[in-house]
């Protein structure tokens, strides 16, 4: 249920005040990221010096660290090894928020609009997945995409022979194995797998636009105690967005560097960008998180997580984790707000007030 209440707003204010009082001020911060088209800018921010420039402006130090295994990067953030992490809306809800780590979506960078895909080896359609096993990163957005794909043709996971938990690092090799028939994964792995003449794209995230959202998520208590950490991250990100979205020499050089870092060339990376709805303008990101569609999406995601037993240990219902959105709108349990979409820093970027 979606609720907007004065009590919820008051409770949030109290929790933020408590966080400010209990959190220790920091000057050094760590951000974890992993290879994906929407998160390649974080590696470039580290390498180009843009992040250092914004960190220096606020008298802090921000280290951006690449983690090869995506889920491991979220696990490390949840354990407290990092102050922020790149992740999807679903994985933030299921892992840190579901585990009791209050987390804020500081930057909503994009949503997948074709970058995540269900791929069959050989001829057939979604109906032909019945009775087959599927390789994917279990309980990730790939699992969610599979569920949405199956539902579109009246099937469910119980109609499969099962799912095989496969690390993203092993996905390309898995598809090449003779016994593997179906994989669900994300770019740049999708692009590489689709080069196989037997690869047959059955369903992708453009069929469910706006549901797989790519974020920079920050520990809420850390952000509340250290707002300059948020200012520096958002300032650096949108400086790069201006460059990255241009056809200037600098823009082409930035995209080329990101392409090479992700194991492709400029044309390959730009093909991935075409399958991504990037919010290069911060005002577009603010509009997206303020739209009434987002709470509806998150309720669907929470339902999926609960149905699969991964919304937090012992979760009694899909409303177990409370989520807050702009304007004091909430879904889930208002007494257990652990996930927040905060548009205020992106709004500062849009206003030029960072």
């Amino acid at each position: 249920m979606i609720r907007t209440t004065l009590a919820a707003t008051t409770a949030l204010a109290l929790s933020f005040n408590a966080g400010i009082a209990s959190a220790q001020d920091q000057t050094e911060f760590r951000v974890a990221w992993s290879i994906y088209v929407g998160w390649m800018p974080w590696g470039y921010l580290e390498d180009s010096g843009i992040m250092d420039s914004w960190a220096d402006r606020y008298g802090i130090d921000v280290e951006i660290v690449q983690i090869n295994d995506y889920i491991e990067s979220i696990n490390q953030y949840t354990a407290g090894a990092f102050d922020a992490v790149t992740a999807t809306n679903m994985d933030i809800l299921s892992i840190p928020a579901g585990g009791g780590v209050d987390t804020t979506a500081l930057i909503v960078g994009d949503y997948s609009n074709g970058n995540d895909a269900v791929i069959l080896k050989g001829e057939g359609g979604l109906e032909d997945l019945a009775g087959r096993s599927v390789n994917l990163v279990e309980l990730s957005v790939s699992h969610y995409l599979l569920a949405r794909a199956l539902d579109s043709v009246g099937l469910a996971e119980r109609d499969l022979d099962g799912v095989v938990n496969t690390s993203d690092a092993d996905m390309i090799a898995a598809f090449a194995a003779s016994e593997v028939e179906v994989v669900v994964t994300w770019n740049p792995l999708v692009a590489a797998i689709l080069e196989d003449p037997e690869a047959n794209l059955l369903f992708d995230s453009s069929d469910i636009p706006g549901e797989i959202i790519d974020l920079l998520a920050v520990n809420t208590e850390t952000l509340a105690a250290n707002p300059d950490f948020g200012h520096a991250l958002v300032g650096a990100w949108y400086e790069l967005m201006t460059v990255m979205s241009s056809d200037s020499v600098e823009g082409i050089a930035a995209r080329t560097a990101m392409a090479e870092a992700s194991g492709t060339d400029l044309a390959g990376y730009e093909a991935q960008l075409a399958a991504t709805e990037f919010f290069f303008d911060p005002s577009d990101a603010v509009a997206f998180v303020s739209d009434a569609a987002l709470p509806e999406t998150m309720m669907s995601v929470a339902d999926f997580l609960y149905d699969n037993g991964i919304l937090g240990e012992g979760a009694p219902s899909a409303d177990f984790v409370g989520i807050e959105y702009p304007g004091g709108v909430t879904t889930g349990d208002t007494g257990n707000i652990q996930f927040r979409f905060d548009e205020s820093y992106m709004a500062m970027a849009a206003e030029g007030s960072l």
Side-chain angles (χ1 to χ4, degrees), residues 128-173:
D128 299 304
L129 296 186
R132 300 176 189 249
S133 62
V134 177
N135 289 66
L136 48 71
V137 177
E138 196 171 9
L139 308 179
S140 73
V141 291
S142 293
H143 209 153
Y144 176 76
L145 184 71
L146 174 65
R148 297 287 278 115
L150 292 171
D151 183 66
S152 73
V153 292
L155 296 176
E157 190 174 329
R158 61 179 175 272
D159 298 308
L160 304 175
D161 187 42
V163 298
V164 180
N165 190 26
T166 307
S167 167
D168 52 316
D170 299 326
M171 198 65 68
I172 294 174

Short mmCIF file of all heavy atoms in Angstrom, two decimals, residues 128-173:
data_model
loop_
_atom_site.label_atom_id
_atom_site.label_comp_id
_atom_site.label_asym_id
_atom_site.label_seq_id
_atom_site.Cartn_x
_atom_site.Cartn_y
_atom_site.Cartn_z
N ASP A 128 8.89 -22.20 -25.24
CA ASP A 128 9.77 -23.37 -25.32
C ASP A 128 10.73 -23.48 -24.14
O ASP A 128 11.53 -24.42 -24.06
CB ASP A 128 10.56 -23.34 -26.64
CG ASP A 128 9.65 -23.39 -27.85
OD1 ASP A 128 8.86 -24.36 -27.93
OD2 ASP A 128 9.70 -22.47 -28.67
N LEU A 129 10.67 -22.52 -23.20
CA LEU A 129 11.50 -22.63 -22.00
C LEU A 129 10.96 -23.68 -21.04
O LEU A 129 11.70 -24.16 -20.17
CB LEU A 129 11.58 -21.28 -21.29
CG LEU A 129 12.26 -20.13 -22.04
CD1 LEU A 129 12.38 -18.91 -21.13
CD2 LEU A 129 13.61 -20.53 -22.59
N ALA A 130 9.71 -24.04 -21.18
CA ALA A 130 9.12 -25.06 -20.30
C ALA A 130 9.93 -26.34 -20.38
O ALA A 130 10.25 -26.84 -21.47
CB ALA A 130 7.67 -25.32 -20.69
N GLY A 131 10.29 -26.86 -19.21
CA GLY A 131 11.05 -28.10 -19.14
C GLY A 131 12.54 -27.94 -19.32
O GLY A 131 13.28 -28.93 -19.26
N ARG A 132 13.03 -26.73 -19.51
CA ARG A 132 14.47 -26.49 -19.66
C ARG A 132 15.04 -25.87 -18.40
O ARG A 132 14.33 -25.24 -17.61
CB ARG A 132 14.74 -25.55 -20.85
CG ARG A 132 14.26 -26.06 -22.21
CD ARG A 132 14.52 -25.00 -23.26
NE ARG A 132 13.91 -25.29 -24.54
CZ ARG A 132 14.58 -25.62 -25.64
NH1 ARG A 132 15.90 -25.71 -25.61
NH2 ARG A 132 13.94 -25.85 -26.77
N SER A 133 16.33 -26.01 -18.22
CA SER A 133 17.01 -25.31 -17.13
C SER A 133 17.56 -23.98 -17.66
O SER A 133 17.85 -23.86 -18.85
CB SER A 133 18.14 -26.17 -16.55
OG SER A 133 19.12 -26.43 -17.53
N VAL A 134 17.68 -23.01 -16.75
CA VAL A 134 18.11 -21.66 -17.13
C VAL A 134 19.28 -21.25 -16.24
O VAL A 134 19.20 -21.34 -15.01
CB VAL A 134 16.95 -20.66 -16.97
CG1 VAL A 134 17.42 -19.24 -17.30
CG2 VAL A 134 15.77 -21.05 -17.86
N ASN A 135 20.35 -20.77 -16.86
CA ASN A 135 21.51 -20.28 -16.12
C ASN A 135 21.40 -18.77 -15.91
O ASN A 135 21.18 -18.02 -16.88
CB ASN A 135 22.81 -20.60 -16.87
CG ASN A 135 23.15 -22.07 -16.86
OD1 ASN A 135 22.44 -22.90 -17.43
ND2 ASN A 135 24.26 -22.41 -16.22
N LEU A 136 21.56 -18.34 -14.67
CA LEU A 136 21.49 -16.92 -14.34
C LEU A 136 22.11 -16.68 -12.96
O LEU A 136 22.43 -17.64 -12.25
CB LEU A 136 20.04 -16.42 -14.37
CG LEU A 136 18.95 -17.21 -13.65
CD1 LEU A 136 19.05 -17.14 -12.14
CD2 LEU A 136 17.57 -16.71 -14.08
N VAL A 137 22.29 -15.41 -12.63
CA VAL A 137 22.70 -15.07 -11.28
C VAL A 137 21.44 -15.15 -10.43
O VAL A 137 20.55 -14.29 -10.54
CB VAL A 137 23.33 -13.67 -11.19
CG1 VAL A 137 23.67 -13.33 -9.74
CG2 VAL A 137 24.59 -13.60 -12.05
N GLU A 138 21.36 -16.21 -9.63
CA GLU A 138 20.13 -16.49 -8.90
C GLU A 138 19.75 -15.34 -7.97
O GLU A 138 20.60 -14.74 -7.31
CB GLU A 138 20.30 -17.77 -8.10
CG GLU A 138 18.99 -18.36 -7.61
CD GLU A 138 19.17 -19.75 -7.01
OE1 GLU A 138 20.33 -20.16 -6.81
OE2 GLU A 138 18.15 -20.40 -6.73
N LEU A 139 18.48 -14.99 -7.97
CA LEU A 139 17.88 -13.98 -7.10
C LEU A 139 18.37 -12.57 -7.39
O LEU A 139 18.25 -11.67 -6.57
CB LEU A 139 18.10 -14.35 -5.62
CG LEU A 139 17.68 -15.77 -5.24
CD1 LEU A 139 17.96 -16.03 -3.77
CD2 LEU A 139 16.23 -16.03 -5.57
N SER A 140 18.91 -12.37 -8.60
CA SER A 140 19.32 -11.04 -9.06
C SER A 140 18.25 -10.50 -9.99
O SER A 140 17.19 -11.11 -10.19
CB SER A 140 20.65 -11.13 -9.81
OG SER A 140 20.45 -11.74 -11.09
N VAL A 141 18.51 -9.36 -10.63
CA VAL A 141 17.56 -8.80 -11.59
C VAL A 141 17.35 -9.75 -12.77
O VAL A 141 16.29 -9.72 -13.40
CB VAL A 141 18.02 -7.43 -12.11
CG1 VAL A 141 17.93 -6.39 -11.01
CG2 VAL A 141 19.41 -7.48 -12.70
N SER A 142 18.33 -10.60 -13.06
CA SER A 142 18.14 -11.59 -14.12
C SER A 142 17.02 -12.56 -13.75
O SER A 142 16.22 -12.96 -14.62
CB SER A 142 19.44 -12.36 -14.37
OG SER A 142 20.43 -11.52 -14.90
N HIS A 143 16.97 -12.93 -12.50
CA HIS A 143 15.91 -13.83 -12.03
C HIS A 143 14.55 -13.12 -12.14
O HIS A 143 13.55 -13.73 -12.55
CB HIS A 143 16.20 -14.22 -10.58
CG HIS A 143 15.67 -15.57 -10.21
ND1 HIS A 143 16.23 -16.35 -9.23
CD2 HIS A 143 14.62 -16.29 -10.69
CE1 HIS A 143 15.56 -17.48 -9.11
NE2 HIS A 143 14.57 -17.46 -9.98
N TYR A 144 14.53 -11.85 -11.80
CA TYR A 144 13.31 -11.06 -11.92
C TYR A 144 12.87 -10.96 -13.38
O TYR A 144 11.68 -11.13 -13.71
CB TYR A 144 13.56 -9.67 -11.34
CG TYR A 144 12.40 -8.70 -11.49
CD1 TYR A 144 11.28 -8.80 -10.68
CD2 TYR A 144 12.45 -7.68 -12.44
CE1 TYR A 144 10.22 -7.90 -10.80
CE2 TYR A 144 11.40 -6.78 -12.57
CZ TYR A 144 10.29 -6.89 -11.76
OH TYR A 144 9.26 -6.01 -11.89
N LEU A 145 13.82 -10.69 -14.29
CA LEU A 145 13.51 -10.59 -15.71
C LEU A 145 12.94 -11.91 -16.23
O LEU A 145 11.99 -11.93 -17.01
CB LEU A 145 14.76 -10.21 -16.50
CG LEU A 145 14.55 -9.99 -18.00
CD1 LEU A 145 13.76 -8.70 -18.25
CD2 LEU A 145 15.88 -9.93 -18.74
N LEU A 146 13.53 -13.02 -15.80
CA LEU A 146 13.02 -14.34 -16.20
C LEU A 146 11.58 -14.50 -15.75
O LEU A 146 10.72 -14.97 -16.52
CB LEU A 146 13.90 -15.44 -15.62
CG LEU A 146 13.39 -16.87 -15.85
CD1 LEU A 146 13.40 -17.22 -17.34
CD2 LEU A 146 14.22 -17.88 -15.05
N ALA A 147 11.28 -14.13 -14.50
CA ALA A 147 9.92 -14.26 -13.99
C ALA A 147 8.94 -13.44 -14.81
O ALA A 147 7.83 -13.90 -15.13
CB ALA A 147 9.88 -13.84 -12.52
N ARG A 148 9.34 -12.22 -15.15
CA ARG A 148 8.46 -11.35 -15.96
C ARG A 148 8.29 -11.91 -17.36
O ARG A 148 7.20 -11.84 -17.95
CB ARG A 148 9.04 -9.93 -16.02
CG ARG A 148 9.12 -9.23 -14.68
CD ARG A 148 7.74 -8.80 -14.17
NE ARG A 148 7.37 -7.52 -14.79
CZ ARG A 148 6.36 -7.35 -15.62
NH1 ARG A 148 5.59 -8.37 -15.95
NH2 ARG A 148 6.08 -6.16 -16.12
N ALA A 149 9.35 -12.49 -17.93
CA ALA A 149 9.27 -13.09 -19.26
C ALA A 149 8.34 -14.30 -19.26
O ALA A 149 7.48 -14.44 -20.15
CB ALA A 149 10.66 -13.50 -19.73
N LEU A 150 8.50 -15.18 -18.28
CA LEU A 150 7.65 -16.37 -18.19
C LEU A 150 6.19 -15.97 -18.01
O LEU A 150 5.30 -16.55 -18.65
CB LEU A 150 8.11 -17.25 -17.03
CG LEU A 150 9.48 -17.93 -17.19
CD1 LEU A 150 9.88 -18.59 -15.88
CD2 LEU A 150 9.47 -18.95 -18.33
N ASP A 151 5.96 -14.99 -17.16
CA ASP A 151 4.59 -14.56 -16.89
C ASP A 151 3.91 -14.03 -18.15
O ASP A 151 2.69 -14.17 -18.32
CB ASP A 151 4.61 -13.48 -15.79
CG ASP A 151 3.21 -13.04 -15.41
OD1 ASP A 151 2.45 -13.86 -14.86
OD2 ASP A 151 2.87 -11.86 -15.66
N SER A 152 4.70 -13.44 -19.05
CA SER A 152 4.13 -12.86 -20.27
C SER A 152 3.54 -13.91 -21.19
O SER A 152 2.74 -13.58 -22.08
CB SER A 152 5.19 -12.04 -21.01
OG SER A 152 6.15 -12.88 -21.64
N VAL A 153 3.92 -15.18 -21.00
CA VAL A 153 3.37 -16.26 -21.83
C VAL A 153 2.65 -17.31 -20.99
O VAL A 153 2.44 -18.45 -21.41
CB VAL A 153 4.47 -16.93 -22.70
CG1 VAL A 153 4.98 -15.97 -23.75
CG2 VAL A 153 5.61 -17.46 -21.83
N GLY A 154 2.28 -16.90 -19.78
CA GLY A 154 1.50 -17.78 -18.93
C GLY A 154 2.27 -18.91 -18.28
O GLY A 154 1.68 -19.90 -17.82
N LEU A 155 3.58 -18.77 -18.20
CA LEU A 155 4.42 -19.77 -17.53
C LEU A 155 4.92 -19.22 -16.20
O LEU A 155 4.81 -18.03 -15.92
CB LEU A 155 5.62 -20.16 -18.41
CG LEU A 155 5.33 -20.85 -19.73
CD1 LEU A 155 6.63 -21.07 -20.51
CD2 LEU A 155 4.62 -22.19 -19.51
N ALA A 156 5.50 -20.09 -15.39
CA ALA A 156 6.12 -19.71 -14.13
C ALA A 156 7.37 -20.54 -13.94
O ALA A 156 7.61 -21.50 -14.70
CB ALA A 156 5.16 -19.92 -12.96
N GLU A 157 8.18 -20.19 -12.95
CA GLU A 157 9.43 -20.90 -12.73
C GLU A 157 9.21 -22.40 -12.48
O GLU A 157 10.05 -23.22 -12.85
CB GLU A 157 10.21 -20.28 -11.58
CG GLU A 157 11.62 -20.81 -11.44
CD GLU A 157 12.44 -20.08 -10.39
OE1 GLU A 157 12.21 -18.87 -10.19
OE2 GLU A 157 13.29 -20.73 -9.76
N ARG A 158 8.08 -22.75 -11.91
CA ARG A 158 7.80 -24.16 -11.65
C ARG A 158 7.68 -24.97 -12.95
O ARG A 158 7.77 -26.20 -12.93
CB ARG A 158 6.52 -24.31 -10.84
CG ARG A 158 5.27 -23.77 -11.53
CD ARG A 158 4.02 -23.97 -10.67
NE ARG A 158 2.86 -23.35 -11.30
CZ ARG A 158 2.50 -22.09 -11.12
NH1 ARG A 158 3.21 -21.31 -10.30
NH2 ARG A 158 1.44 -21.59 -11.73
N ASP A 159 7.47 -24.27 -14.07
CA ASP A 159 7.37 -24.96 -15.36
C ASP A 159 8.73 -25.27 -15.97
O ASP A 159 8.82 -25.98 -16.98
CB ASP A 159 6.55 -24.11 -16.35
CG ASP A 159 5.13 -23.88 -15.88
OD1 ASP A 159 4.46 -24.89 -15.57
OD2 ASP A 159 4.70 -22.71 -15.81
N LEU A 160 9.79 -24.75 -15.36
CA LEU A 160 11.15 -25.01 -15.84
C LEU A 160 11.68 -26.30 -15.24
O LEU A 160 11.13 -26.83 -14.27
CB LEU A 160 12.08 -23.85 -15.45
CG LEU A 160 11.70 -22.43 -15.90
CD1 LEU A 160 12.69 -21.44 -15.29
CD2 LEU A 160 11.66 -22.33 -17.41
N ASP A 161 12.81 -26.74 -15.78
CA ASP A 161 13.53 -27.84 -15.15
C ASP A 161 14.33 -27.34 -13.95
O ASP A 161 14.86 -28.12 -13.18
CB ASP A 161 14.45 -28.51 -16.18
CG ASP A 161 15.10 -29.77 -15.63
OD1 ASP A 161 14.41 -30.55 -14.95
OD2 ASP A 161 16.31 -29.97 -15.86
N GLY A 162 14.42 -26.01 -13.82
CA GLY A 162 15.13 -25.40 -12.71
C GLY A 162 16.02 -24.27 -13.19
O GLY A 162 16.18 -24.04 -14.39
N VAL A 163 16.59 -23.54 -12.23
CA VAL A 163 17.57 -22.50 -12.55
C VAL A 163 18.92 -22.93 -11.99
O VAL A 163 18.98 -23.61 -10.95
CB VAL A 163 17.17 -21.12 -11.99
CG1 VAL A 163 15.86 -20.65 -12.61
CG2 VAL A 163 17.06 -21.14 -10.49
N VAL A 164 19.97 -22.54 -12.69
CA VAL A 164 21.33 -22.88 -12.29
C VAL A 164 22.04 -21.59 -11.93
O VAL A 164 22.24 -20.71 -12.79
CB VAL A 164 22.09 -23.61 -13.42
CG1 VAL A 164 23.51 -23.94 -12.97
CG2 VAL A 164 21.34 -24.86 -13.85
N ASN A 165 22.40 -21.44 -10.67
CA ASN A 165 23.08 -20.22 -10.23
C ASN A 165 24.45 -20.13 -10.87
O ASN A 165 25.30 -21.00 -10.69
CB ASN A 165 23.21 -20.22 -8.70
CG ASN A 165 23.68 -18.88 -8.17
OD1 ASN A 165 23.47 -17.84 -8.79
ND2 ASN A 165 24.33 -18.90 -7.02
N THR A 166 24.67 -19.07 -11.65
CA THR A 166 25.90 -18.91 -12.43
C THR A 166 26.42 -17.49 -12.26
O THR A 166 25.68 -16.53 -12.50
CB THR A 166 25.64 -19.18 -13.93
OG1 THR A 166 24.99 -20.45 -14.07
CG2 THR A 166 26.93 -19.16 -14.73
N SER A 167 27.65 -17.34 -11.85
CA SER A 167 28.23 -16.01 -11.67
C SER A 167 28.28 -15.27 -13.01
O SER A 167 28.47 -15.88 -14.07
CB SER A 167 29.65 -16.13 -11.11
OG SER A 167 30.35 -14.90 -11.21
N ASP A 168 28.13 -13.95 -12.95
CA ASP A 168 28.25 -13.17 -14.17
C ASP A 168 29.62 -13.35 -14.81
O ASP A 168 29.76 -13.31 -16.03
CB ASP A 168 27.96 -11.69 -13.89
CG ASP A 168 28.76 -11.11 -12.76
OD1 ASP A 168 28.89 -11.77 -11.71
OD2 ASP A 168 29.27 -9.97 -12.89
N ALA A 169 30.64 -13.60 -13.99
CA ALA A 169 31.99 -13.80 -14.53
C ALA A 169 32.09 -15.08 -15.35
O ALA A 169 32.99 -15.21 -16.19
CB ALA A 169 33.00 -13.84 -13.39
N ASP A 170 31.17 -16.02 -15.14
CA ASP A 170 31.22 -17.31 -15.84
C ASP A 170 30.15 -17.45 -16.92
O ASP A 170 30.05 -18.51 -17.55
CB ASP A 170 31.03 -18.45 -14.83
CG ASP A 170 32.11 -18.48 -13.77
OD1 ASP A 170 33.26 -18.13 -14.10
OD2 ASP A 170 31.80 -18.83 -12.62
N MET A 171 29.36 -16.42 -17.17
CA MET A 171 28.18 -16.56 -18.02
C MET A 171 28.52 -16.83 -19.48
O MET A 171 27.86 -17.66 -20.14
CB MET A 171 27.32 -15.31 -17.91
CG MET A 171 25.90 -15.50 -18.40
SD MET A 171 24.97 -16.68 -17.39
CE MET A 171 24.83 -15.79 -15.85
N ILE A 172 29.51 -16.16 -20.03
CA ILE A 172 29.85 -16.37 -21.44
C ILE A 172 30.34 -17.79 -21.66
O ILE A 172 29.92 -18.47 -22.62
CB ILE A 172 30.91 -15.35 -21.90
CG1 ILE A 172 30.32 -13.93 -21.87
CG2 ILE A 172 31.41 -15.67 -23.30
CD1 ILE A 172 31.31 -12.84 -22.16
N ALA A 173 31.18 -18.27 -20.77
CA ALA A 173 31.67 -19.65 -20.87
C ALA A 173 30.53 -20.64 -20.70
O ALA A 173 30.48 -21.69 -21.35
CB ALA A 173 32.75 -19.90 -19.83
#
